[in-house]
């Protein structure tokens, strides 16, 4: 069977070759129904664009850089891995490749940007773990390098007009949903186990819990709101302190699965039944949470990856950096209720 060509795909989908090219290189320009028809034709004919010709024509390498994190406590690394797996699959379908690297801090990451751009001519980057005073976004913006972030700008950057495209998950909505579930299950003593103050993602997740309790008229006694470094051991120690209170909580909403699994361990070590004597809800819905039956807030990683790719394609299709960045996307999470919650 002859190899499919741009012309044969166009003929099969009853569109022009330019439309097929737009589907491959700038899908945001194509109407949804036409996009679906051409993508179906590409799949049916097993069409593979000629990468060498495309690179010469567009002056693009079709390589996108993304940082990976070393595994920590068997949970956090798995969480980011889910997003990167979705991002890799999505970019591969669109004819791009992910170049992964690791870095110790922002300065190290910026130095690697320069090296990757010089050595491999990367087209763009996808950043994660955004924070106040993020040097990486400043470095890329100054050099007019296309990028998007999985994570919103924070602090003073958040108050200013949007400077770059970003995709994030609404953490406050997630913990609010978890807290609502616990209230509807009959709990009135609901604690929050999060991270130290000034960690923006943690503050966002805490706000969903605190705001719902406030409007519901439910008190939060001293010791019901704790912030500790992320981890299984710190989660267990914090849960122990909560359970030793004169009036201990009957439910704990956590900012991460690491903290929740630490709390779950302490509860079971005391001979209590997670989900019965003390309910626990985590955040991120890691594979480990599913194994032990821990309720958790799931992040829509595949949707986030798809949105990041759409933004990058929009940026890369423009002949020059557009005057306005892509419209930000804030995705709703989903509460997954299991036996321990």
């Amino acid at each position: 069977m002859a190899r499919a060509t741009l012309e044969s795909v166009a003929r099969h989908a009853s569109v022009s070759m330019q439309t097929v090219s737009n589907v491959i290189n700038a899908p945001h320009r194509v109407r949804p129904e036409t996009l679906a028809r051409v993508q179906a034709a590409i799949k049916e004919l097993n069409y593979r664009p000629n990468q060498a010709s495309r690179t010469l024509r567009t002056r693009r390498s079709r390589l996108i850089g993304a940082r990976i994190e070393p595994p920590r406590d068997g949970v956090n690394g798995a969480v980011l891995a889910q997003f990167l797996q979705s991002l890799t699959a999505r970019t591969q379908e669109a004819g791009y490749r992910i170049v992964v690297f690791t870095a110790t801090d922002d300065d190290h990451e910026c130095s690697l940007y320069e090296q990757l751009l010089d050595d491999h001519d990367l087209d763009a980057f996808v950043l994660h773990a955004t924070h106040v005073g993020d040097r990486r976004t400043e470095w890329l913006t100054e050099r007019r390098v296309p990028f998007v972030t999985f994570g919103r700008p924070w602090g003073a950057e958040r108050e200013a007009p949007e400077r770059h495209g970003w995709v994030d998950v609404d953490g406050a909505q997630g913990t609010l949903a978890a807290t609502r579930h616990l209230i509807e299950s009959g709990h009135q003593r609901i604690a929050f186990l999060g991270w130290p103050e000034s960690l923006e993602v943690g503050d966002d997740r805490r706000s969903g819990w605190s705001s719902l309790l406030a409007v519901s008229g439910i008190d939060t006694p001293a010791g019901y709101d704790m912030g500790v470094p992320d981890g299984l051991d710190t989660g267990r120690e914090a849960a122990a302190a909560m359970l030793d209170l004169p009036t201990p909580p009957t439910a704990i909403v956590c900012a991460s699965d690491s903290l929740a699994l630490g709390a779950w361990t302490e509860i079971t070590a005391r001979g209590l039944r997670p989900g019965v004597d003390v309910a626990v809800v985590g955040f991120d819905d890691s594979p480990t949470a599913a194994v032990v039956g821990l309720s958790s807030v799931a992040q829509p990683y595949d949707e986030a990856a798809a949105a990041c790719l759409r933004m990058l394609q929009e940026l890369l299709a423009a002949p020059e950096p557009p005057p306005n960045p892509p419209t930000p996307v804030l995705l709703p999470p989903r509460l997954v209720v299991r036996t321990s919650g």
Side-chain angles (χ1 to χ4, degrees):
M1 182 177 179
R3 176 172 175 169
T5 64
L6 195 76
E7 183 179 3
S8 63
V9 171
R11 186 166 55 249
H12 190 81
S14 300
V15 297
S16 68
M17 287 193 290
Q18 181 60 51
T19 298
V20 178
S21 179
N22 285 342
V23 168
I24 296 169
N25 298 302
H28 61 281
R29 295 180 176 178
V30 185
R31 290 182 300 177
E33 58 272 19
T34 304
L35 180 66
R37 188 167 75 251
V38 174
Q39 288 175 333
I42 289 173
K43 184 175 182 180
E44 183 178 344
L45 298 179
N46 195 29
Y47 173 64
R48 294 290 183 271
N50 186 300
Q51 181 61 38
S53 297
R54 178 195 289 173
T55 299
L56 288 172
R57 184 176 65 253
T58 64
R59 298 182 182 274
R60 294 290 188 187
S61 66
R62 302 190 75 80
L63 297 176
I64 297 171
R67 172 179 169 179
I68 59 173
E69 297 285 355
R72 290 185 294 118
D73 66 37
V75 180
N76 288 288
V79 169
L80 178 60
Q82 292 178 67
F83 170 72
L84 289 177
Q85 182 178 2
S86 292
L87 181 65
T88 300
R90 289 282 186 170
T91 52
Q92 186 170 300
E93 290 172 359
Y96 292 85
R97 292 292 183 271
I98 294 292
V99 176
V100 296
F101 60 92
T102 188
T104 55
D105 54 31
D106 282 5
D107 289 336
H108 186 202
E109 188 165 343
C110 289
S111 70
L112 290 173
Y113 292 160
E114 190 162 17
Q115 180 180 331
L116 289 164
L117 290 167
D118 288 343
D119 295 348
H120 302 286
D121 197 26
L122 266 64
D123 286 342
F125 292 89
V126 176
L127 284 58
H128 65 88
T130 53
H131 54 85
V132 171
D134 201 322
R135 286 220 336 103
R136 303 168 302 165
T137 59
E138 180 182 353
W139 194 97
L140 293 168
T141 300
E142 288 177 352
R143 290 158 180 80
R144 299 163 71 91
V145 177
F147 73 95
V148 297
T149 63
F150 179 40
R152 74 195 83 169
W154 297 102
E157 292 183 14
R158 192 68 189 92
E159 303 302 322
E162 302 295 351
R163 296 182 58 192
H164 61 80
W166 57 265
V167 179
D168 202 5
V169 177
D170 193 336
Q173 183 177 335
T175 52
L176 188 148
T179 307
R180 178 184 293 117
H181 162 70
L182 293 169
I183 293 173
E184 293 175 349
S185 299
H187 293 279
Q188 291 290 300
R189 303 202 305 270
I190 305 172
F192 181 77
L193 178 51
W195 302 315
E197 292 184 9
S198 80
L199 289 179
E200 303 81 25
V201 176
D203 291 344
D204 182 52
R205 294 180 183 182
R206 179 188 178 279
S207 68
W209 163 82
S210 62
S211 63
L212 184 59
L213 291 187
V215 299
S216 301
I218 297 176
D219 293 331
T220 54
Y224 271 42
D225 184 0
M226 295 187 65
V228 298
D230 200 35
L232 297 174
D233 291 340
T234 52
R236 181 170 185 174
E237 292 167 2
M242 288 179 172
L243 295 174
D244 287 339
L245 291 170
T247 305
T250 62
I252 305 174
V253 176
C254 300
S256 73
D257 279 353
S258 292
L259 294 174
L261 288 164
W264 184 92
T265 301
E266 179 63 22
I267 291 165
T268 56
R270 293 181 178 227
L272 301 172
R273 297 165 296 174
V276 179
D277 299 315
V278 184
V280 181
V281 182
F283 204 111
D284 291 325
D285 196 31
S286 63
T288 307
V291 169
V292 303
L294 176 72
S295 295
S296 188
V297 177
Q299 299 199 51
Y301 295 111
D302 192 57
E303 291 179 50
C308 284
L309 178 58
R310 285 196 301 271
M311 289 185 183
L312 284 182
Q313 289 177 309
E314 179 180 339
L315 292 171
L316 293 172
E320 294 182 0
N324 298 310
T327 303
V329 174
L330 186 62
L331 297 169
R334 177 175 57 90
L335 177 63
V336 179
V337 177
R338 300 189 178 96
T339 55
S340 294

